[in-house]
Amino acid sequence: MKDNRLDYSSIIGLFLILFILTIFTYFNVNNNQEKKETIYISKKIIPSKKKKNNFFSLENNVLKLKISCIGGMISEVFLKKYKAYNNSFSSHSRDLYLVKNSSLEYNISFSKKKKKGININTNTLIFKPFSITNLKKIRIIVMRAKNPYGEGFLDFIYTIKKNQYDVGFYVRTKNFHSFNKSVFLNLEQKVFSLEKDRDWENSYTQVYYSTGSSPKPKKVKYLSEKNIENKGIPDINWIAHKQQFFSFIFIPEEILRNVFIRSENFSSGYFLKKIQFYTKIKNSKKNKEFYFSFRFYFGPLDFNSLKEYQSGFENIIPFGWGFLKWINKYFFLIIFQFLEKTNLNYGVIIILMTIVVKFILYPITYKQYKLSAIMKLIRPEIEEINKKYSNGSKDALKKQRAMMELYHKVGINPMSGCISTLFQIPIFYSLFKFFPTIINLRGKSFLWVEDLTSYDSILEFPFFIPFYGNHVSLLTLLYSLALLVYTRISNSENKDISKKETNSIPNMNFILYLTPIIMLLFINSYASALSLYYFTSNIINIGFLFFIKKFILDEQKILMKIQDKKLKKHSHWRTMIKKIINKKITESKT
């Protein structure tokens, strides 16, 4: 049981963390391979430039929409309570538009039943406001276009309620009987970049959609955030074009059948992605007018607000996979929201959150330190067993039995250290997904940090360093230094090791002190809130070490308990031997 100033549970935990970080980095590296599968997206008919376009507004306390006369589409969506990142001022100070300059286009096409080649596409029609209604709780605008092939008309009806981010959209026809056989919906959005780090933001921008219907449970799935992807989906409840902190969600009243979706990345420019979907809409009423209703959600990815819709929208927030999602949703998020009620600076809230989590996990920390202290105290016994059974594989089983007897005598289980380390790994990794997705941290400053959901930078490089980036994050640097100090202090607890032992595993110290450098490379471009949390966590760990050693864990008492257990064990065997001998003597006399 030889080591080099490090117990086996720490070594196992270190390698597990490095393995997980390596896998995590692999899946976050941009992969530009394109899939061979293709789908059909109908081409849009661009309106003539000669047509004069007018716009009409529809707004509430949180949204302002502009509706175009050409095509009757929403041409602009302005979020009143949020700001986009402004590179000129290095802050979130620019007006935030989720839709602008035709970045969102949608149209409905109607085909003639008998005459082929005659169709109506709504983006070639001129819509005029037929009625505008402003009530206390709801505002309604009806945009009407005439049938270009005769009598009749087509209405686009938009409704918006007070303090809500969703918009009602209704389509109805009058005297369109001959066009109602084949009706197609085509939608395309070019997603704007709104945050500081375009590459980081792009990794969080992707298509989510919900499938399945009652009584079966609905499932939320997604397309690749890195690759060009085309997919045909048999049924869809809703489709979300999700960004890092905001989303456009298309919500039909009825399930859409046979939907074709395409997602394509932009490597540069003003847009992050182009997302398209295309589907055929069936009119349930034969030989009657067409009527279909949708809802559009233009708003923030706020967990509680999305959950109120009871449609699974909150599942598009990328809290991680499997049990990591549960840790973030039902552990970290609850603690964060509770501390948020204090109305303190969000940097202070993260520090308080770290303190709360560390005290919750204190029993595990104490158990690990106690195990390490006991392992150090029984080192002489371990060395005796190693010398006694030094004949390689022949004595391996006897050596293992002797070790287990020793552990049993002193009342410890070495595997408990590994279990404790394994328990903390999911908590360690879940934070990588937690801080970059909390919209309440977006744009919030702390000391020199401009935005807690992005990296803090004290120095910019004119070049890019692989894995590290083109900047120096001070919080990440402080975290790495704190981790180095903690590693040094915890490692110095095992100084009483002979030179022969140190030569047995010569690379353990190198691997141990390499960890802070690896972490410096891994999280330099991550959310500064993550670095703040880990920096605070390591400062608390250092405090715990001194506190446990000076006031809680008395090594002399532990050593006395170990000796008492040994004496009791020996006296127990002596008593048993005496009883056996006495029993044999009495039996021989009789």
Side-chain angles (χ1 to χ4, degrees), residues 173-209:
T173 62
K174 182 69 175 179
N175 294 331
F176 265 60
H177 304 298
S178 59
F179 287 93
N180 285 351
K181 185 177 181 181
S182 299
V183 181
F184 296 91
L185 170 67
N186 190 19
L187 186 144
E188 175 182 304
Q189 184 187 13
K190 293 178 181 176
V191 182
F192 288 118
S193 175
L194 303 171
E195 310 303 330
K196 178 180 179 180
D197 191 331
R198 175 195 171 89
D199 294 334
W200 185 256
E201 183 184 10
N202 208 358
S203 67
Y204 279 89
T205 303
Q206 62 188 125
V207 178
Y208 280 74
Y209 58 92

Side-chain angles (χ1 to χ4, degrees), residues 389-418:
Y389 302 102
S390 59
N391 194 13
S393 58
K394 292 182 179 179
D395 293 336
L397 186 59
K398 294 180 181 179
K399 181 179 177 181
Q400 186 178 4
R401 287 177 180 173
M403 287 290 188
M404 295 306 295
E405 286 178 4
L406 175 63
Y407 296 149
H408 182 71
K409 285 178 184 179
V410 298
I412 63 169
N413 181 7
M415 288 304 296
S416 62
C418 297

Side-chain angles (χ1 to χ4, degrees), residues 298-333:
F298 301 100
L301 293 175
D302 179 81
F303 182 83
N304 292 330
S305 299
L306 293 176
K307 195 173 182 179
E308 290 178 0
Y309 286 92
Q310 297 182 350
S311 297
F313 297 155
E314 71 276 8
N315 292 318
I316 70 176
I317 301 176
F319 279 136
W321 306 279
F323 59 91
L324 298 181
K325 180 186 291 185
W326 292 94
I327 292 172
N328 281 328
K329 287 170 65 175
Y330 302 110
F331 181 64
F332 285 118
L333 185 62

Side-chain angles (χ1 to χ4, degrees), residues 407-450:
Y407 296 149
H408 182 71
K409 285 178 184 179
V410 298
I412 63 169
N413 181 7
M415 288 304 296
S416 62
C418 297
I419 294 170
S420 300
T421 304
L422 288 171
F423 179 79
Q424 293 186 72
I425 287 174
I427 295 175
F428 174 86
Y429 178 63
S430 60
L431 291 167
F432 279 79
K433 288 291 185 180
F434 181 78
F435 289 117
T437 58
I438 299 299
I439 192 169
N440 290 9
L441 289 175
R442 180 182 180 270
K444 298 299 188 294
S445 61
F446 176 65
L447 299 177
W448 67 88
V449 180
E450 300 166 356

Side-chain angles (χ1 to χ4, degrees), residues 277-412:
F277 71 82
Y278 171 80
T279 186
K280 182 178 179 180
I281 302 174
K282 291 184 179 181
N283 191 2
S284 57
K285 300 177 180 180
K286 294 183 179 180
N287 298 322
K288 291 187 178 181
E289 298 301 334
F290 179 84
Y291 177 84
F292 206 87
S293 61
F294 311 88
R295 276 189 300 154
F296 296 148
Y297 176 87
F298 301 100
L301 293 175
D302 179 81
F303 182 83
N304 292 330
S305 299
L306 293 176
K307 195 173 182 179
E308 290 178 0
Y309 286 92
Q310 297 182 350
S311 297
F313 297 155
E314 71 276 8
N315 292 318
I316 70 176
I317 301 176
F319 279 136
W321 306 279
F323 59 91
L324 298 181
K325 180 186 291 185
W326 292 94
I327 292 172
N328 281 328
K329 287 170 65 175
Y330 302 110
F331 181 64
F332 285 118
L333 185 62
I334 291 173
I335 295 172
F336 179 82
Q337 290 177 340
F338 174 77
L339 294 173
E340 199 176 19
K341 295 176 182 178
T342 61
N343 293 321
L344 295 170
N345 179 278
Y346 277 93
V348 177
I349 289 173
I350 292 169
I351 293 172
L352 292 175
M353 178 181 171
T354 314
I355 294 171
V356 170
V357 172
K358 294 304 290 184
F359 273 100
I360 291 173
L361 299 177
Y362 172 77
I364 296 174
T365 305
Y366 173 73
K367 192 173 183 180
Q368 282 184 312
Y369 188 84
K370 183 179 179 180
L371 176 64
S372 179
I374 294 175
M375 291 296 289
K376 187 181 83 170
L377 293 173
I378 64 172
R379 183 170 301 283
E381 285 82 357
I382 292 173
E383 288 307 310
E384 287 180 11
I385 294 172
N386 287 332
K387 290 177 182 178
K388 185 176 180 180
Y389 302 102
S390 59
N391 194 13
S393 58
K394 292 182 179 179
D395 293 336
L397 186 59
K398 294 180 181 179
K399 181 179 177 181
Q400 186 178 4
R401 287 177 180 173
M403 287 290 188
M404 295 306 295
E405 286 178 4
L406 175 63
Y407 296 149
H408 182 71
K409 285 178 184 179
V410 298
I412 63 169

